[in-house]
Amino acid sequence: MEKTLTTGLALFLALCVAIPQAGGCKEGGNAENKSSSRSSDTKAGRCSYTFIVPQQKLTGALCLNTQSAATNYSEVAALRVELKRQQEQLEKLRGHLEQEGALAMEVRTLRKESISMNSRIAQLYAQLLHEVINKKDQALEQQRVENLLLNATTQALQVSSNYRELEKKYGALTSMMSSQNQFIARLEKQCQCRDSTQSSLVLTEAPKSQSILHPNYSSEVNEMTNDVQRDQSAPPPQQANAGRVHSLPTTTPSAPTDPPFISFPVTKTPGPWRDCQHVQESGETTSGIYLLHLQSANRLLQAWCEQSRAQGGWTVIQRRQDGSVNFFRTWEQYKQGFGNLDGEYWLGLEHLYWLTKQAQYKLRVALEDWQGRQVFAEYDSFHLEPESDWYRLRLGQYHGNAGDSLSWHNNKAFTTLDRDKDSYTGNCAHYQKGGWWYHMCAHSNLNGVWYRGGHYRSRYQDGVYWAEFHGGSYSLKRVSMMIKPT
């Protein structure tokens, strides 16, 4: 019996431990006492359940209160720590998941950009391929044009060679005409010193007098070799009036049938003169062609003397005004001179060298545009070195209102189509279409191509320009270079 009770109590205690605040009660006696005892115990709150156990010897209620059993706080704390740790791990996992999600989004964005870049690269590659094909076609076209240009250059050289042969023949004819002109000039000077009766006598006996004067001046005439060349584009000199020298008769067998293109104005003094200032000092105030005698070289030449501008006394060494003369010439032509003394001409480097050895000269460059504006540039000293130094330019200080476009060429050698003495890798004379003291290449090009109207279109800057006056793409209407003793 006791074993049975012990077993029941053990089961009851197990249930009470599983269910807190649960209790059991055992009542003895009759049923009424059981009923009253159950209600009173329930009201008192001491027992939550009432178990009927086998009848025991014990009397009275048997109760078990489970509130005395203490809760295991250490296990609860451990559980809370574990729960907190798991929550922290969960937060870490959530952070890692967010980071991986951001990385995944970035990877997707990079993939889209990569696809776009690949498409752009393919487009650029196609464009580059197209450009390469075009460049190849252009290179072929350029090669074809270069071949055409080479052929044209060969033909031009051949024509130039033929032209030089014609120039030599023309030079010989001009030399003969110039020689005859010198004899006629001497006769005119003698005629001016006599009265009209004596003058008519001299004219009737001109062949005899000429034969007497010829030996005396043959040495000077032989030294003159084509001092000033006449351009073939100039009109033939058939329009001679009665006052000109070439109307005098002559019976020289070798004299040309056509009269020479150069004439002399009627002068007060016989001449020849040292330079145009000497002409002015002799009382001549009319601009025109005068015979000069270079004392430093015992050489005769003809030049235009400008007596009406800038106090006069200027010897004109270069002039451009209508494009009638081609200035794209060879070295020998620039050395001896060419053109029309009463129009466009170049005096000649050799003559200019000997002329500037006589005294200290200054240079005046007169310019005029197509609107009629006139400016000038003066340099207080000007002379050339000899041909052995390629007629190197020596200039002094500038003053004027045209701007200084010639000092850049100071101390530079003269360059022509057939003699390249400039500092450029190519030949500046070829690009600028003239002869000049080129550097790399030009700030002024007064011997270039004469373009009508001012502004011109050309592959190169080859017009008659002065860079400080309208720039290199403006071809001036009139230019002239003049020298005068200081």
Side-chain angles (χ1 to χ4, degrees), residues 22-139:
C25 297
K26 175 68 181 76
E27 296 178 0
N30 52 24
E32 297 170 347
N33 292 334
K34 291 176 187 178
S35 175
S36 61
S37 176
R38 186 185 303 116
S39 60
S40 61
D41 290 340
T42 302
K43 293 178 181 179
R46 290 178 297 173
C47 295
S48 299
Y49 299 94
T50 300
F51 297 95
I52 304 299
V53 297
Q55 192 173 9
Q56 304 292 332
K57 293 181 178 183
L58 298 177
T59 60
L62 181 61
C63 299
L64 179 62
N65 191 356
T66 60
Q67 291 180 354
S68 61
T71 305
N72 191 348
Y73 291 102
S74 60
E75 294 180 0
V76 173
L79 289 173
R80 289 178 178 174
V81 170
E82 182 66 21
L83 180 61
K84 185 175 181 181
R85 186 181 64 80
Q86 291 180 359
Q87 288 178 350
E88 290 177 354
Q89 291 180 354
L90 184 61
E91 291 294 333
K92 290 181 180 179
L93 291 175
R94 187 178 294 123
H96 290 315
L97 183 60
E98 291 177 355
Q99 292 179 358
E100 291 177 356
L103 289 174
M105 290 294 294
E106 187 174 357
V107 168
R108 281 195 290 271
T109 303
L110 290 175
R111 284 179 179 175
K112 291 180 180 179
E113 292 180 355
S114 176
I115 294 172
S116 177
M117 289 297 294
N118 289 335
S119 175
R120 179 61 178 166
I121 289 172
Q123 182 181 358
L124 290 175
Y125 180 76
Q127 185 177 358
L128 179 61
L129 184 61
H130 181 69
E131 291 291 335
V132 168
I133 294 173
N134 289 340
K135 291 292 185 182
K136 187 176 181 180
D137 294 339
Q138 291 178 1

Side-chain angles (χ1 to χ4, degrees), residues 427-464:
N427 189 342
C428 292
H430 172 75
Y431 299 115
Q432 311 272 187
K433 300 295 186 297
W436 199 246
W437 296 277
Y438 291 118
H439 183 14
M440 296 182 61
C441 277
H443 282 184
S444 57
N445 189 41
L446 302 186
N447 290 338
V449 181
W450 188 86
Y451 290 102
R452 187 179 300 276
H455 292 286
Y456 65 94
R457 280 188 170 184
S458 176
R459 185 176 181 183
Y460 306 105
Q461 287 187 346
D462 54 6
V464 180

Side-chain angles (χ1 to χ4, degrees), residues 269-457:
T269 56
W273 296 268
R274 184 176 60 254
D275 52 32
C276 289
Q277 189 183 48
H278 188 200
V279 173
Q280 185 185 41
E281 293 172 352
S282 300
E284 306 298 334
T285 59
T286 303
S287 297
I289 302 171
Y290 291 84
L291 182 66
L292 307 182
H293 178 239
L294 305 183
Q295 298 176 353
S296 55
N298 195 23
R299 179 186 294 257
L300 292 173
L301 76 150
Q302 298 154 339
W304 183 277
C305 292
E306 182 59 52
Q307 308 290 10
S308 60
R309 293 196 297 179
Q311 292 81 44
W314 295 97
T315 304
V316 178
I317 64 174
Q318 185 262 18
R319 181 165 53 207
R320 307 295 301 276
Q321 61 186 18
D322 54 15
S324 61
V325 175
N326 179 18
F327 275 67
F328 195 27
R329 303 290 186 115
T330 62
W331 178 270
E332 189 64 26
Q333 291 170 329
Y334 268 101
K335 175 182 175 181
Q336 299 297 337
F338 55 86
N340 304 315
L341 284 175
D342 54 353
E344 293 192 341
Y345 80 97
W346 174 260
L347 183 63
L349 293 168
E350 187 68 15
H351 302 147
L352 193 52
Y353 163 69
W354 289 109
L355 180 61
T356 54
K357 281 182 67 70
Q358 297 184 134
Q360 183 76 18
Y361 283 84
K362 62 181 178 180
L363 172 68
R364 181 182 180 92
V365 181
L367 311 170
E368 181 180 347
D369 61 16
W370 288 87
Q371 288 72 39
R373 182 185 173 190
Q374 298 181 358
V375 295
F376 73 95
E378 281 194 10
Y379 299 85
D380 57 13
S381 66
F382 170 82
H383 72 275
L384 300 183
E385 299 295 339
E387 186 180 11
S388 59
D389 197 16
W390 313 111
Y391 299 114
R392 194 172 301 274
L393 176 65
R394 304 297 188 190
L395 280 180
Q397 294 296 321
Y398 157 82
H399 65 91
N401 58 358
D404 185 8
S405 293
L406 192 57
S407 292
W408 196 64
H409 301 267
N410 191 21
N411 302 321
K412 299 299 177 288
F414 200 85
T415 292
T416 59
L417 177 65
D418 54 343
R419 295 203 184 179
D420 183 7
K421 302 301 175 183
D422 55 54
S423 304
Y424 187 58
T425 54
N427 189 342
C428 292
H430 172 75
Y431 299 115
Q432 311 272 187
K433 300 295 186 297
W436 199 246
W437 296 277
Y438 291 118
H439 183 14
M440 296 182 61
C441 277
H443 282 184
S444 57
N445 189 41
L446 302 186
N447 290 338
V449 181
W450 188 86
Y451 290 102
R452 187 179 300 276
H455 292 286
Y456 65 94
R457 280 188 170 184

